[in-house]
Amino acid sequence: MKKRGKFHTKFIFITGGVLSSLGKGLAAASIGALLEARGLRVTFLKLDPYINVDPGTMNPFQHGEVYVTEDGAETDLDLGHYERFTSTIMSGKNNYTSGKIYYSVITKERKGVYLGGTVQIIPHVTDEIKTVILELASKEVDIAIVEIGGTVGDIESLPFLEAIRQLGYDLGKENVLYIHLTYVPYIKTAGELKTKPTQHSVKELRAIGIQPDILLCRTDRFLPADIKRKIALFCNVEEDAVITAKDIDCIYEIPLIFHREGLDEKIVEKLNIWTREPDLSPWQNIVKTYKNPTDEVTIAIVGKYVNLKDSYKSLNEALIHGGLALNLRVNLKYVGSDELTSENLEDVFKDVEGILVPGGFGARGIEGKILAIHYARTKGIPFFGICLGMQLAVVEFARNVLGWKEANSTEFDSNTPYPVIYLMKEWFDYRKGCVEQRNEESDLGGTMRLGAYPCKLKRDSIVYQAYKQEEIFERHRHRYEFNNAFREALERGGLKVTGTSPNEELVEIIEVEGHPWFVGVQFHPEFKSKPLRPHPLFVDFIRASYERKLKLRGQL
Ligand code: GLN
């Protein structure tokens, strides 16, 4: 096992207690933002206790968004928070599930690596976990932030907790910090904040041998000194290590609240690191804009998972970032695509300035999305199609402009006479090889085009105006592609291909001639948008949508 000794990287372990959904991922990301603002170099690791090898095959209703990294790993959505809050670039190495860990242990066992020994959770599984954690140590990293998914007390997270307990011992006090996120509810009828759930959660953690150094207490108000004192006493932590993690509207305010509570100061003190005071002005500016926008704009997101906003996490954030860049509040109106009909279209979209059709898989709701695209195209409403949204924009154009009524993607109709979107055999096989090489553990999902690919932009295009560069790199996650057999006919009809792979074989971006803003992209730009570096396409889409609003108001 690689020992830390060679490098100076220190570790912060973040666990959660009482209940799930307290915002561990955002807390981890915000700590990263604060440490970066102090000039430290950070990295992250998310350890998920479930048995799936990665979330790639999981239903968005179960798991929320699948976040795709540059190197094409399908990961937990918390990696999206890490990238948005910091300058880190995550990869497959930054997310491990129990499934991935066990897979590796079992593969080693089959290969005889354990030399006939009995393979056990302790030490073999825990050693595997420790190896994965210690892989984060390098010359380039001052602090590695490791978030353990799940809630303390769950059976399945025990091996992870045991591994981080051992690391505390192996690496020594000044190199390891345990942060526990817990819940302090305000009970209305009693008019009191209650500390008992926190006490129990910490007790549970201590029973496994982990004494937290810092407590982040999720609550609806700032904790008064007496409550902090009480928690400190019962949980055996210092009083100024009890930090309020208050509910807020704007997630980008979390680093500011943590700082105000003294969290970053406490972390560097405990880890015995000298740093400068943090420069938080970029975050302050964002929060200021978020709270005092000059105006607002409403965007409809027409999708299948509209009831679970976590499914479109990066997309929602990217739209908000686009608004922040223009001092605008972006209201998101979720429209369930299977409820759209030609009768209710007008009514559903009457109060929106832009329409976005996001990525998706499977046939449900397809026709509703096509109706929405048709509406946006013919009414001159700014339209942004992402992945499936782009593919359906091509289908809509083929059906309604070229009159190929049966045009479709072969994902939905394998017998269509006009397969404008299809599986490209040679690329499919090539990709399978690449992806398998990149990620040995992935056998399912190996057929998708995953991760960052280059794309060449045409100068005379909306997208070039937005990016202001000729070559871009964006992340993909799909199987189907634009069918070049129909390209010439579609282009003659007014569909513009404005972005392709460098060899021009893969169509990556389409626009519509004469429309104010109609852009379909085969990739997922939302994964690369950050509040401090909003994605140019989202900024431009919001700008165009707002322009429409001003025009309708007669102000432009
Ligand atoms: N289902 C489509 C495909 O596999 C689109 C995928 C997506 O939108 N991410 O190509």
Side-chain angles (χ1 to χ4, degrees):
M1 190 184 302
K2 184 159 119 191
K3 283 282 176 215
R4 182 193 158 272
K6 238 167 84 195
F7 304 115
H8 70 288
T9 309
K10 301 192 181 218
F11 292 84
I12 296 179
F13 295 113
I14 305 186
T15 56
V18 186
L19 42 95
S20 57
S21 303
L22 289 181
K24 255 196 325 269
L26 282 170
S30 301
I31 289 171
L34 284 172
L35 297 176
E36 273 200 345
R38 282 181 170 264
L40 294 168
R41 297 158 310 165
V42 301
T43 191
F44 294 90
L45 173 64
K46 174 79 193 286
L47 294 172
D48 279 308
Y50 52 77
I51 304 290
N52 305 60
V53 172
D54 65 39
T57 54
M58 281 159 94
N59 182 333
F61 283 119
Q62 294 256 325
H63 185 269
E65 168 185 282
V66 173
Y67 187 75
V68 180
T69 55
E70 285 290 285
D71 68 335
E74 298 176 280
T75 69
D76 186 71
L77 57 77
D78 280 332
L79 272 75
H81 293 311
Y82 306 159
E83 285 201 351
R84 284 189 284 276
F85 277 75
T86 66
S87 61
T88 55
I89 295 172
M90 297 285 101
S91 77
K93 289 206 167 75
N94 301 96
N95 187 196
Y96 273 80
T97 65
S98 290
K100 206 161 159 184
I101 298 280
Y102 279 95
Y103 197 97
S104 157
V105 170
I106 291 169
T107 309
K108 281 188 190 163
E109 187 273 331
R110 291 287 83 184
K111 286 187 181 154
V113 173
Y114 299 114
L115 303 173
T118 309
V119 181
Q120 295 177 297
I121 299 207
I122 304 172
H124 300 98
V125 170
T126 44
D127 275 355
E128 193 72 27
I129 298 170
K130 285 163 74 176
T131 305
V132 160
I133 295 174
L134 291 171
E135 281 300 321
L136 298 170
S138 81
K139 291 202 289 303
E140 287 82 39
V141 176
D142 299 314
I143 300 195
I145 301 168
V146 181
E147 177 193 346
I148 320 288
T151 309
V152 169
D154 297 346
I155 291 178
E156 39 184 21
S157 55
L158 279 173
F160 288 126
L161 296 173
E162 170 59 15
I164 65 167
R165 180 196 70 76
Q166 291 180 17
L167 280 173
Y169 185 78
D170 297 349
L171 304 176
K173 199 92 203 87
E174 276 188 6
N175 298 316
V176 171
L177 195 70
Y178 297 102
I179 299 185
H180 188 56
L181 175 64
T182 127
Y183 182 47
V184 180
Y186 179 79
I187 305 295
K188 259 203 205 126
T189 45
E192 266 181 73
L193 282 162
K194 291 294 184 188
T195 65
K196 196 69 83 190
T198 297
Q199 292 179 38
H200 277 291
S201 178
V202 171
K203 197 168 137 199
E204 193 84 33
L205 202 53
R206 289 170 66 187
I208 343 179
I210 298 173
Q211 166 64 52
D213 299 290
I214 295 176
L215 293 177
L216 300 178
C217 302
R218 180 73 189 266
T219 161
D220 68 349
R221 64 202 63 209
F222 281 99
L223 298 180
D226 61 322
I227 293 286
K228 286 194 174 182
R229 205 169 307 126
K230 188 170 170 188
I231 293 175
L233 185 69
F234 280 102
C235 299
N236 205 25
V237 297
E238 292 158 20
E239 220 173 291
D240 60 356
V242 180
I243 307 288
T244 302
K246 191 181 162 299
D247 302 344
I248 29 112
D249 283 346
C250 174
I251 54 171
Y252 303 116
E253 197 177 353
I254 303 175
L256 300 177
I257 297 203
F258 280 174
H259 177 66
R260 192 174 133 189
E261 286 281 300
L263 176 60
D264 46 316
E265 188 64 46
K266 197 74 202 167
I267 291 174
V268 293
E269 174 200 313
K270 289 238 162 223
L271 287 175
N272 198 17
I273 312 175
W274 184 90
T275 76
R276 60 167 194 239
E277 275 298 302
D279 173 15
L280 295 175
S281 53
W283 296 101
Q284 282 154 351
N285 291 339
I286 281 187
V287 173
K288 207 158 88 200
T289 315
Y290 185 92
K291 291 187 175 170
N292 307 292
T294 48
D295 205 346
E296 54 187 351
V297 59
T298 303
I299 304 295
I301 298 181
V302 184
K304 193 160 71 161
Y305 307 114
V306 287
N307 295 326
L308 189 74
K309 299 194 179 113
D310 264 6
S311 310
Y312 300 122
K313 193 99 224 161
S314 297
L315 182 63
N316 301 345
E317 293 307 315
L319 286 163
I320 290 167
H321 304 159
L324 284 171
L326 302 163
N327 285 319
L328 295 170
R329 182 198 315 280
V330 179
N331 303 316
L332 304 177
K333 176 171 177 167
Y334 297 94
V335 176
S337 50
D338 36 11
E339 282 144 38
L340 274 181
T341 62
S342 39
E343 285 74 51
N344 65 15
L345 270 182
E346 186 105 30
D347 195 44
V348 171
F349 294 127
K350 69 172 183 301
D351 51 0
V352 310
E353 283 91 31
I355 296 178
L356 189 149
V357 176
F361 294 83
R364 184 163 71 79
I366 291 302
E367 294 304 322
K369 290 180 191 176
I370 293 177
L371 278 176
I373 295 167
H374 180 72
Y375 190 77
R377 186 176 59 77
T378 51
K379 302 278 178 202
I381 302 173
F383 168 78
F384 199 0
I386 293 181
C387 207
L388 180 64
M390 172 268 199
Q391 297 176 351
L392 294 179
V394 176
V395 171
E396 191 280 327
F397 198 88
R399 284 187 190 177
N400 299 321
V401 177
L402 300 190
W404 303 340
K405 291 292 166 216
E406 290 163 87
N408 215 329
S409 160
T410 54
E411 182 177 5
F412 313 117
D413 178 2
S414 49
N415 295 319
T416 167
Y418 299 100
V420 287
I421 304 293
Y422 78 137
L423 275 181
M424 220 173 171
K425 177 80 175 81
E426 52 284 28
W427 274 89
F428 185 73
D429 292 343
Y430 166 73
R431 271 194 311 259
K432 202 162 175 231
C434 289
V435 176
E436 275 166 5
Q437 220 178 2
R438 271 200 303 227
N439 183 3
E440 288 161 9
E441 280 121 37
S442 156
D443 25 41
L444 253 183
T447 52
M448 279 211 249
R449 176 142 77 113
L450 282 167
Y453 282 79
C455 170
K456 201 171 71 179
L457 304 184
K458 283 234 174 73
R459 280 215 168 224
D460 169 29
S461 66
I462 291 175
V463 284
Y464 181 79
Q465 289 293 320
Y467 280 103
K468 299 193 172 50
Q469 64 194 64
E470 254 164 40
E471 194 184 38
I472 55 160
F473 283 83
E474 294 284 3
R475 299 182 196 171
H476 291 248
R477 182 177 184 243
H478 56 99
R479 289 195 178 84
Y480 295 81
E481 305 280 356
F482 183 102
N483 188 345
N484 282 328
F486 300 97
R487 180 163 164 184
E488 212 189 301
L490 287 161
E491 285 190 296
R492 243 184 290 120
L495 191 84
K496 288 171 69 183
V497 171
T498 57
T500 61
S501 55
N503 66 3
E504 297 187 15
E505 284 206 3
L506 297 166
V507 170
E508 309 283 40
I509 308 177
I510 56 108
E511 297 181 17
V512 165
E513 193 85 60
H515 188 287
W517 210 97
F518 191 104
V519 175
V521 295
Q522 185 56 84
F523 45 80
H524 288 271
E526 69 272 26
F527 292 140
K528 283 174 85 163
S529 186
K530 299 172 186 238
L532 302 178
R533 207 148 35 81
H535 192 288
L537 283 186
F538 284 92
V539 179
D540 210 48
F541 173 54
I542 298 293
R543 184 198 50 73
S545 305
Y546 187 58
E547 257 177 29
R548 178 178 163 84
K549 179 170 178 161
L550 294 181
K551 265 201 194 115
L552 291 178
R553 271 198 207 146
Q555 286 176 284
L556 206 72

